């Protein structure tokens, strides 16, 4: 036991760490927003979409939900060039996150849609709304409101999962930790510090999403209560 | 230059699949035992025990599994322990899954009506007796579908252990890719094998959920 901890050592590379945090945030911003858009579309396709589209979207959701994110990432980054599609690390990582969150969030959103009372849809039909208008104005807002907490957890899980993007050399936070320990051999300190930063990011992200939910649905809640 | 037939690739991947299955089983079994202990502490009557275990759960749910793996792998080595990759993988996956399982089961314990606790404490049962004879038999029944569902997360979680050098399905996929230069085929096969493991579990969990919900409604 001659190891001396030096928890200040990783701070010699503050720039690398800051860049890592920014790229992690960029990944979750792209993945979060586009992932939910894909999720909403997939949920629509599986509940209201044309019949031929349903099995295709179901296959996508089942395939993504039952394979590891790491393999999805490798398949996109290493596999696609094999058939002539060339993309950068960052594009591959963003794409993998969007595809991954899209599948998970579609299942969550679908549960929210299932919880909408049929009477609401009938009421919309009696107002001569089109099926698209009903989905957009009658079904989606209360469905999203109901499942917002579950969606929040899923987004945090996807953010934490983005750590494996370091494996295709995306310079996010886990990559920064690997870089630092490769330079000063203080692996434990580097990983402990980056883990702590991930924890702060996860707590911050959860709070941010809570605020967004409040901003999006807060007034709706009050209106329905009145 | 050795050439690889498709069968060579499949055979080698299947050999590595064994380790994914073994690691998943170990993580599930040990994570379940540790999770049960965490559950007991999380629902105990001592406020400080509840607070400490809440922190434990938040720590493991709020940080990436990859970082937990690295910390175990490099952290234990600092204390002069020789840590093989498989040991670090088992330790990290056990702690990680125990936090999630304890939280899943806590939801089930809290769904048991208060009156059950009160009635059993009227019978002068201790906390452990209440848990063992009254609460857990009811709560675990409810907990079976989400527990089976979480086993899918564990199988997928084992893929991350390839990064610290444990040769399971993902690592084997990377190694075979490096030898064959056929990433598209190899990773598609790897994904299919994970799917073959996880999909039946997902379906089983869904059917259990339907069954339990149906009995609930009647």
């Amino acid at each position: 036991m001659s190891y001396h901890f030096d928890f200040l050592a990783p701070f010699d590379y503050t720039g690398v760490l800051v860049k890592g945090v920014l790229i992690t945030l960029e990944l979750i911003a792209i993945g979060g927003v586009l992932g939910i858009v894909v999720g909403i579309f997939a949920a629509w396709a599986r509940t209201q979409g044309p019949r031929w589209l349903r099995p295709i979207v179901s296959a996508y959701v089942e395939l993504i939900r039952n394979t590891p994110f790491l393999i999805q990432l490798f398949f996109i980054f290493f596999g696609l060039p094999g058939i002539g599609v060339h993309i950068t690390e960052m594009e591959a990582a963003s794409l993998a996150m969007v595809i991954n969150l899209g599948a998970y969030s579609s299942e969550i959103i679908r549960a929210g849609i299932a919880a909408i009372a049929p009477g609401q849809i009938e009421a919309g039909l009696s107002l001569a709304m089109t099926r698209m208008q009903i989905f957009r104005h009658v079904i989606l807002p209360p469905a999203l409101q109901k499942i917002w907490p579950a969606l929040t957890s899923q987004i945090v899980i996807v953010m934490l999962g983005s750590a494996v993007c370091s494996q295709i050399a995306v310079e996010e936070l886990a990559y920064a930790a690997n870089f630092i320990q490769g330079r000063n051999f203080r692996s434990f300190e580097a990983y402990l510090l980056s883990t702590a930063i991930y924890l702060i990011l996860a707590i911050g992200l959860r709070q941010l999403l809570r605020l967004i939910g409040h901003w999006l649905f807060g007034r709706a809640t009050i209106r329905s209560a009145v | 230059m050795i050439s690889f037939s498709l069968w060579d690739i499949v055979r080698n991947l299947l050999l590595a699949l064994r380790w994914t299955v073994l690691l998943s089983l170990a993580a599930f079994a040990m994570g379940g035992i540790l999770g049960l202990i965490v559950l007991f502490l999380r629902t105990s009557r001592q406020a400080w025990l509840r607070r400490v275990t809440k922190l434990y759960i938040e720590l493991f749910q709020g940080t990436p599994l990859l970082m937990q793996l690295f910390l175990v792998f490099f952290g234990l080595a600092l204390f002069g322990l020789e840590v093989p990759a498989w040991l670090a993988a088992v330790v990290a996956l056990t702690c990680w899954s125990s936090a999630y399982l304890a939280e899943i089961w806590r939801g089930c314990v809290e769904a048991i009506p208060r009156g059950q606790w009160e009635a059993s404490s009227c019978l002068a049962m201790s906390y452990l007796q209440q848990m063992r004879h009254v609460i857990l038999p009811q709560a675990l029944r409810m907990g079976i579908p989400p527990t089976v569902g979480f086993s899918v997360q564990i199988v997928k979680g084992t893929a991350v252990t390839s990064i610290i050098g444990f040769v399971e399905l993902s690592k084997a996929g990377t190694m075979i890719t490096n030898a064959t230069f056929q990433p598209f085929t190899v990773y598609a096969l790897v994904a299919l094998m994970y799917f073959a493991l996880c999909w039946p579990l997902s379906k089983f969990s869904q059917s259990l959920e339907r069954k339990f919900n149906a009995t609930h409604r009647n």
Side-chain angles (χ1 to χ4, degrees), chain A residues 1 3 5 62 65-68 70-71 74-75 78-79 104 160 163 167 174 187-188 191-192 194-195 198-199 202, chain B residues 59 61-64 66-67 70-71 74-75 78-79 156 159 162-163 170 174 183-184 187 190-191 194-195 198-199 202:
Chain A
M1 266 309 293
Y3 191 83
F5 290 105
E62 292 290 316
R65 277 165 49 89
N66 289 299
T67 51
L70 183 68
I71 296 302
F74 281 174
F75 184 77
F78 297 118
Y104 280 96
L160 297 176
Q167 293 308 302
S187 39
F188 188 72
Y191 289 125
L192 195 67
S194 54
T195 306
Y198 270 114
L199 186 63
Chain B
L59 278 180
Q61 292 196 340
T63 57
L66 179 62
M67 292 291 124
F70 278 141
L71 283 176
F74 293 105
L78 291 187
F79 298 102
K156 290 189 293 176
S162 65
I163 296 174
S170 299
T174 306
F184 191 82
Y187 286 122
V190 170
Y194 276 111
F195 186 76
C198 296
W199 198 57
S202 296

Side-chain angles (χ1 to χ4, degrees), chain B residues 9 12 20 36-39 45 56 79 95 122-124 131 135 157 159 170 183 190 194 199:
Chain B
I9 296 174
N12 281 302
T20 293
L36 206 58
I37 296 170
V38 175
L39 169 75
R45 285 172 191 162
Y56 173 87
F79 298 102
C95 295
C122 284
L123 295 171
M131 277 299 241
I135 305 298
S170 299
V190 170
Y194 276 111
W199 198 57

Side-chain angles (χ1 to χ4, degrees), chain B residues 186-197:
Chain B
V186 174
Y187 286 122
L189 285 170
V190 170
L192 274 181
M193 286 183 190
Y194 276 111
F195 186 76
L197 279 185

Side-chain angles (χ1 to χ4, degrees), chain B residues 51-181:
Chain B
R51 233 170 283 140
V52 170
T53 40
K54 184 170 182 229
L55 193 69
Y56 173 87
I57 292 170
E58 299 248 314
L59 278 180
F60 281 99
Q61 292 196 340
T63 57
L65 176 58
L66 179 62
M67 292 291 124
Q68 295 163 20
L69 263 174
F70 278 141
L71 283 176
V72 172
F73 193 51
F74 293 105
L76 288 181
L78 291 187
F79 298 102
L81 293 170
E82 190 66 47
V83 199
W86 65 267
L87 183 63
V90 170
V91 171
L93 279 170
T94 298
C95 295
W96 173 78
S97 57
S98 73
Y100 277 89
L101 286 172
E103 194 65 2
I104 291 170
W105 294 338
R106 185 180 69 96
C108 302
V109 165
E110 290 192 344
I112 303 296
R114 235 30 244 163
Q116 297 279 323
W117 287 99
E118 285 158 15
S120 51
S121 79
C122 284
L123 295 171
M125 283 177 152
S126 70
Y127 171 75
L128 285 180
Q129 284 174 323
Q130 284 178 309
M131 277 299 241
R132 200 170 109 57
H133 298 293
V134 182
I135 305 298
L136 281 187
Q138 305 179 64
L140 285 186
R141 209 181 111 80
M142 232 187 293
I144 289 170
T147 305
V148 174
F150 183 71
S151 67
V152 175
Q153 307 297 326
I154 293 179
V155 175
K156 290 189 293 176
T158 60
V160 176
T161 63
S162 65
I163 296 174
I164 58 166
F166 181 64
V167 186
E168 36 65 80
L169 186 50
S170 299
K171 183 75 182 172
T174 306
M175 287 157 70
I176 293 172
T177 300
N178 291 340
T180 61
F181 305 110

